[in-house]
Amino acid sequence: SASTSSGEGARSAAMSGRSSEALQPFTIGFNQARYRESEGAGAVAITVQLLPGTLERTVTIRMYTLDGVATAPADYHAVDVTMTFGPLMNSFTTQIEIVEDNFLETNEHFLVMLEVVSSEVPLSLSRNQARVIIESNDECPRAGVRVSENPLLSTDPLAIYCVDLCYRKFRRG
């Protein structure tokens, strides 16, 4: 009976491509905690990675977005997708569309989340939340001043004045 048990363990370890001593749960998560992309880029590429190595069985996860300061559909297109990692897959990349607008605004962000739907192997989530920062590409038409994450931290009075004028103009429509 002991030989049957160890034989099954060896077969299981061989199927996963890892030794029975090192058999630990796989970890799945975003490959980085923050993504930054310009508003004018069109999309941001988000990658989910499976570590270590690849699978012989399947894992299905759900990836979805949550509004932050950036909101869907005004600033980005919401995503709610299911991804299945099959044999020999160790990453999955998807594009989230960023909306280019003509509103004078500062940098904005939204969140991308992961959750396990099903797994045929021991699995833990690591880095199951990522923040996507949409970098503003808006310019104040008066002086060509770029609006940054917090323009009021500027020590340049002309920049503050220009941002204030543009903000009031754009807010009125």
Side-chain angles (χ1 to χ4, degrees):
S1 140
S3 63
T4 305
S5 173
S6 66
E8 288 173 8
R11 188 169 42 252
S12 173
M15 286 179 64
S16 69
R18 301 177 340 182
S19 73
S20 57
E21 291 95 39
L23 193 58
Q24 309 243 335
F26 282 90
T27 301
I28 197 160
F30 294 108
N31 71 335
Q32 55 193 69
R34 287 182 182 219
Y35 296 84
R36 294 182 85 84
E37 196 59 75
S38 171
E39 181 181 51
V44 59
I46 306 292
T47 301
V48 177
Q49 280 187 304
L50 178 70
L51 298 171
T54 58
L55 296 169
E56 292 291 327
R57 298 180 183 218
T58 61
V59 170
T60 302
I61 60 167
R62 176 182 174 225
M63 181 175 72
Y64 59 97
T65 53
L66 293 174
D67 287 351
V69 176
T71 58
D75 299 305
Y76 71 97
H77 289 191
V79 168
D80 192 340
V81 297
T82 302
M83 299 177 263
T84 299
F85 285 80
L88 307 179
M89 289 181 66
N90 64 0
S91 69
F92 186 92
T93 299
T94 191
Q95 301 281 326
I96 299 176
E97 190 174 338
I98 296 173
V99 176
E100 169 73 86
D101 60 32
N102 293 322
F103 299 114
L104 187 64
E105 55 197 357
T106 60
N107 291 355
E108 300 174 299
H109 74 277
F110 62 93
L111 299 176
V112 186
M113 310 293 290
L114 288 179
E115 64 183 38
V116 176
V117 175
S118 67
S119 178
E120 296 176 354
V121 296
L123 183 70
S124 67
L125 278 174
S126 169
R127 208 182 283 162
N128 64 330
Q129 175 180 309
R131 177 182 282 231
V132 177
I133 299 167
I134 302 172
E135 295 179 337
S136 175
N137 65 349
D138 304 320
E139 289 189 10
C140 179
R142 181 170 173 113
V145 176
R146 234 178 188 3
V147 180
S148 65
E149 194 152 339
N150 190 346
L152 298 181
L153 293 179
S154 173
T155 57
D156 178 1
L158 179 59
I160 294 169
Y161 176 73
C162 179
V163 168
D164 185 52
L165 280 179
C166 291
Y167 181 78
R168 290 173 198 221
K169 177 182 174 189
F170 282 92
R171 289 289 280 188
R172 278 184 256 150

